[in-house]
Structure formats: C-alpha cells, structure tokens
Amino acid sequence: IQLTQSPSSLSASVGDRVTITCRASQGISGYVAWYQQKPGKAPKLLIYATTTLQSGVPSRFSGSGSGIDFTLTISSLQPEDFATYYCQQVNSYPLTFGGGTKVEIK
Amino acid sequence: EVQLVESGGGLVKPGGSLRLSCAASGFTFSSYTMNWVRQAPGKGLEWVSSMSSSSTNIYYADSVKGRFTMSRDNAKNSLFLQINSLRAEDTAIYYCAKRLSGSPLDYFDDWGQGTLVTVSS
C-alpha cells in the first residue's frame, strides 16, 4: 500500500493552522498513524487509529479521515512543531510510511 | 521508563554483513511485538521487519527479504537484525521500535536512538 503525503513541505508562521494530507493507494480501514520527527531524533508517535491522540501529545494536534484520505491538523502552530511529519499505515504488511512533510518557519 | 538502545552499526563493504542489536528495558519485552525501521540519510522512514512476541510471526519488507533476518532473545530482553549481502542502498540509520502498548497493530510508541549502517567500498 502506497501512501502519498502532501504537501512535501510547507512554510507557516507561529499560530497558523496547518493541514497535512495522506492518501493511500487502497483502503486501510482507518489504521493510520502520524509521527513527528525532529533533526537527529527518532520519530515520535502523535496520533494512531486516525484520530486517537497518543498520551502526552498536545491537543492542538488532531487527525481525521476515512477510506483512503487522512489528515493531520495542527490547530495553532507552535515553535516546537517545526519538524517533519510522516503518516504510516498498519492495515497490512508490508507496513508503509508516507514520504514526509517538512514544516518550516515562514 | 522504556529504553531501547541499538548497537552494531558501522562501515561495511558491499556484500558484507552486520548484526545489529537492540537492548530493551523498562517494559516486559517478552510481551511485545518489535520492529526495525530504517532511514537513509536525508530520506524518509522505511519499515524493515516485524517480529511477534514469541517469534512466531515475522514479516519483512520486500527490499530486504532473503538478506535480512530478525530474531529476539526474550530471556535477555534483546532484539537482533542480521543483515547480509549489504548494498549501498542499505546505508541508513536503523531504529528498533516497540509496538504501542495494548494495540494489536504496529503503531510504534517507543523508538531507540538508532544505529548507523554505512555501506561503502
């Protein structure tokens, strides 16, 4: 299953609402996760099963979607949110990740 | 606190082999499916392999099938990845990752810091 993320990069300002999309090549039953990765660090799980916020993750992060289209939204971008974000499908093996979306400071 | 510490990476010539290790602590290792995920320099994440808690179920990415072998030693809280017939495109940071607690699916809630494998002549 291929995952296509868009955009591949974006520039935004602190306080902006940011939306990243992930489109699967076939249905994945909502079994999608979102990760945040900062340079030189391991990825961090933000959201799983489309909408479930991982423990300790700020509520400004949210996930939505169904079928083949899924979205990660950051409601009010904070300085610590500048990073690369990846979606992942766990519906079937081989597990796959999207190509990533780099969120940069405008 | 969950800790995952990878080791065993290094510089190896094409066609060579390495054995990566991941030492786990802070959780009941024998109860969790574990995974390897890699990331080539400046590139995205690529899932490599998954092994169930009792080693019964093992899955591999097509790109590594037949060359990589995942194993674990629950008595020693350790995970391994034997990588053979290395190619330049295997150059990456290799992370071990733990399945999300309570989930039947491979969402990864804990990751190691990674170990770098460089394949070059």
Side-chain angles (χ1 to χ4, degrees), chain B residues 5-37:
Chain B
V5 180
E6 301 93 338
S7 60
L11 175 63
V12 62
K13 290 181 168 51
S17 299
L18 278 177
R19 190 188 195 213
L20 308 184
S21 300
C22 173
S25 61
F27 66 104
T28 305
F29 178 76
S30 59
S31 297
Y32 285 87
T33 292
M34 297 294 294
N35 288 258
W36 289 97
V37 177

Side-chain angles (χ1 to χ4, degrees), chain A residues 20-99:
Chain A
I20 299 168
T21 63
C22 178
R23 172 165 284 181
S25 57
Q26 63 189 73
I28 53 176
S29 304
Y31 297 136
V32 65
W34 292 93
Y35 297 85
Q36 176 193 67
Q37 187 179 33
K38 295 181 179 180
K41 301 293 187 182
K44 173 187 175 182
L45 178 64
L46 298 176
I47 288 169
Y48 61 96
T50 301
T51 61
T52 305
L53 201 64
Q54 171 67 346
S55 176
V57 174
S59 60
R60 62 181 180 273
F61 291 93
S62 64
S64 63
S66 63
I68 64 170
D69 290 313
F70 300 89
T71 299
L72 171 70
T73 299
I74 309 172
S75 60
S76 178
L77 199 66
Q78 298 302 299
E80 60 268 30
D81 300 336
F82 291 95
T84 300
Y85 294 84
Y86 295 93
C87 58
Q88 176 208 19
Q89 69 81 20
V90 300
N91 181 68
S92 63
Y93 294 98
L95 308 181
T96 47
F97 291 90

Side-chain angles (χ1 to χ4, degrees), chain A residues 31 35 37 42-43 49 88 90 93, chain B residues 39 59 105-108 111-112:
Chain A
Y31 297 136
Y35 297 85
Q37 187 179 33
Q88 176 208 19
V90 300
Y93 294 98
Chain B
Q39 185 169 35
Y59 302 94
L105 299 172
D106 276 322
Y107 302 114
F108 307 139
W111 299 63

Side-chain angles (χ1 to χ4, degrees), chain B residues 42-53:
Chain B
K43 302 297 184 182
L45 301 170
E46 180 186 16
W47 171 80
V48 172
S49 62
S50 173
M51 174 174 275
S52 61
S53 57

Side-chain angles (χ1 to χ4, degrees), chain B residues 19 36 51 55 60 69-73 78-81:
Chain B
R19 190 188 195 213
W36 289 97
M51 174 174 275
S55 306
Y60 296 97
T69 303
M70 187 175 180
S71 61
R72 63 191 295 163
D73 183 339
S78 294
L79 186 71
F80 305 101
L81 186 67

